[in-house]
Amino acid sequence: MDKANAPHKLNFDTSWEYAEAPESTDHIEIKKQYGLFIAGEFVPPKKGKYFDTINPATEKVLAKVAQSDASDIDRAVKAARHAYDTHWSKMKAAERGKYIYRIARIIQERAREFAVIESLDGGKPIRESRDVDIPLAAAHFFYSAGWADKIDYAFPCRTPAPLGVAGQIIPWNFPLLMAAWKIAPALACGNTVVLKPAETTPLTALKLAEVIQDAGLPPGVVNIVTGDGATGAAIVDHGDIDKIAFTGSTDVGRVIQKALAGTEKKYTLELGGKAANIIFADAAIDQAVEGIVNAIFFNQGHVCCAGSRLLVQESVAEEVIAKLKDRMQTLIVGDPLDKNTDIGAINSAAQLERINAYLDLGKKEGAAMYQTNSKTPDKGYWCRPTLFTDVAQSHRVVREEIFGPVLAIQTFRTLDEAVTKANNTQYGLSGGVWTDKGAKIFKVGSKIRAGVIWANTFNKFDPTSPFGGYKESGVGREGGMHGLSAYLKLQ
Ligand code: ADP
């Protein structure tokens, strides 16, 4: 047994157990089969093909979902173009705003239903979907709704105009929230939308389609099409789309950027990350430990801006790692619907395989691996919180995005060394700094090449603040006014 994985002596009593507190599923409705949401109605895919979406905590099928091909995408784009030309771009901006407010309010009213479906389909703990994903999704619609009738005045000396039809492709880590990030600003700016959710988490986007029907949006303003990477590629390649907004892996982002090169299409890409979370010796250590847990273990590490690299000042490294191991051991891995659960199911068998391959690789590279001995259910896809120490900058577990509850820990002595190590990455999405010195926060914050830097906190989001990456973490910004301008021609 390697030294990092030697049994860790806990500093507290673990002899007591939590009582289960599962969220009820009685109040939700999932249809057996979903068609494509095109021109305001659910329609079957032209070729009649469907695929299963499963619950990653039980491996049971939740519903069948339409597999769309290029002909379905063409139908959806035509519907979006028609709605753009005849209704949405002509409507008074304040009227557009009312529709978006209506969507926001209905999401709030049906928040419990959305939260449960998000956890069933994606595997994230109900505490996350209930307290983070769904409220933030509603907040994005509220925020953009407020902008709708002010955009004309928001860019001095410029005349904003919508782009037309936006094709939007989103991943599985924040399914409804990503849909909201994409749809809300596009609509506020007067564009119409064809959105594709990820193949493993389509259900909340399809629920959103029901909300859009209930909100009475003109048919075709929002179209929701399901399918896999080929469906996404058909959106990217469609000749009558004016803008592509993509969130997902850097590899697919590269493919999309190549496909768009030389076309007139505008694009924003929000891609991978390998964020450094820097803990200085003068930080409030207990809060920092909680911040590390929040940065990488909650939401199974399925966060592109996760703090997956910990840089800890040498003089406190031993203390931080010991406290972190204690805290990790208390994390409950299991049923996403249980309100006690900290770490839910890994989103898919394929993702679990990818994470496990990295765990093997880390050990092969010579790192010391520590994993908690938390109980996990027999069925489903699970990964216990894991950390790697004794790692070098050259190790792939330090350089590559794992997208799981796996933390690589390095130490540093000086601020400059911390900054150099933090910036030694192809990515630049986010970063964190923990210290009680304001000056240090500003110094580190200004030197880290990343789109978001959190100070004495991590993974905090707000619709008003722009989000996006440097380097291979992406192109463009979402959120705030920057996010709106990505859906506008500014003449
Ligand atoms: P992740 O690694 O987070 O699953 P992906 O980049 O594979 O991210 O997927 C994100 C989204 O991109 C999903 O909706 C997926 O279906 C879609 N997608 C995958 N491949 C392509 C492609 N070649 N072109 C467009 N979209 C794609």
Side-chain angles (χ1 to χ4, degrees), residues 18-147:
Y18 282 98
E20 287 172 11
E23 172 69 51
S24 153
T25 54
D26 297 348
H27 55 95
I28 63 156
E29 192 206 329
I30 299 178
K31 291 182 194 146
K32 283 213 164 95
Q33 180 167 300
Y34 286 90
L36 304 166
F37 184 64
I38 297 178
E41 285 174 36
F42 283 94
V43 295
K46 283 224 166 108
K47 299 244 165 74
K49 284 199 184 145
Y50 292 83
F51 61 95
D52 292 337
T53 183
I54 65 155
N55 177 344
T58 61
E59 302 175 43
K60 286 199 180 129
V61 175
L62 291 165
K64 285 201 171 300
V65 174
Q67 168 68 46
S68 34
D69 67 2
S71 64
D72 298 304
I73 298 306
D74 188 50
R75 251 194 312 172
V77 174
K78 285 200 170 102
R81 176 63 61 191
H82 182 72
Y84 177 77
D85 289 339
T86 56
H87 295 291
W88 202 245
S89 63
K90 299 217 165 89
M91 193 183 278
K92 275 176 75 174
E95 291 303 309
R96 283 202 297 262
K98 285 185 201 166
Y99 282 108
I100 306 170
Y101 274 125
R102 217 175 283 162
I103 296 172
R105 283 197 301 269
I106 301 175
I107 291 175
Q108 278 188 325
E109 280 160 19
R110 293 172 64 175
R112 246 182 103 199
E113 186 185 4
F114 270 109
V116 171
I117 296 176
E118 202 72 300
S119 287
L120 283 172
D121 203 20
K124 63 172 60 194
I126 187 75
R127 227 174 45 208
E128 291 273 319
S129 44
R130 183 197 61 197
D131 298 348
V132 180
D133 293 60
I134 311 306
L136 263 179
H140 272 271
F141 279 104
F142 275 118
Y143 175 74
S144 290
W147 268 115

Side-chain angles (χ1 to χ4, degrees), residues 194-375:
V194 175
L195 174 120
K196 188 192 90 64
E199 47 273 50
T200 56
T201 53
L203 292 184
T204 46
L206 292 164
K207 272 280 149 194
L208 181 63
E210 292 174 15
V211 166
I212 284 164
Q213 270 181 331
D214 291 350
L217 252 76
V221 170
V222 175
N223 304 276
I224 295 181
V225 291
T226 46
D228 55 10
T231 311
I235 295 176
V236 171
D237 293 339
H238 197 286
D240 198 30
I241 282 185
D242 302 289
K243 143 114 196 182
I244 294 291
F246 170 78
T247 298
S249 61
T250 294
D251 285 346
V252 173
R254 271 195 209 104
V255 171
I256 292 179
Q257 203 169 16
K258 264 191 202 155
L260 295 177
T263 72
E264 298 274 293
K265 288 172 196 157
K266 272 187 106 168
Y267 59 88
T268 41
L269 306 172
E270 202 264 275
L271 309 174
K274 191 78 184 177
N277 202 5
I278 304 174
I279 317 288
F280 284 97
D282 59 18
I285 298 295
D286 290 338
Q287 281 91 323
V289 167
E290 205 50 37
I292 298 164
V293 168
N294 174 40
I296 184 64
F297 296 131
F298 288 165
N299 211 19
Q300 303 73 251
H302 291 344
V303 185
C304 42
C305 52
S308 50
R309 286 186 294 149
L310 176 67
L311 296 176
V312 56
Q313 198 152 20
E314 208 173 78
S315 56
V316 291
E318 211 171 295
E319 179 190 355
V320 168
I321 294 170
K323 286 189 165 169
L324 183 59
K325 285 181 176 175
D326 277 1
R327 179 67 177 100
M328 282 164 74
Q329 193 55 47
T330 66
L331 296 174
I332 299 172
V333 185
D335 181 6
L337 288 184
D338 190 324
K339 290 165 206 154
N340 294 312
T341 294
D342 297 300
I343 300 182
I346 299 300
N347 181 259
S348 64
Q351 184 57 22
L352 180 59
E353 207 176 296
R354 240 172 276 158
I355 296 170
N356 284 335
Y358 272 109
L359 300 190
D360 289 342
L361 179 72
K363 285 185 274 184
K364 254 188 235 150
E365 285 181 315
M369 186 176 102
Y370 171 81
Q371 202 170 45
T372 65
N373 58 8
S374 346
K375 275 185 274 174

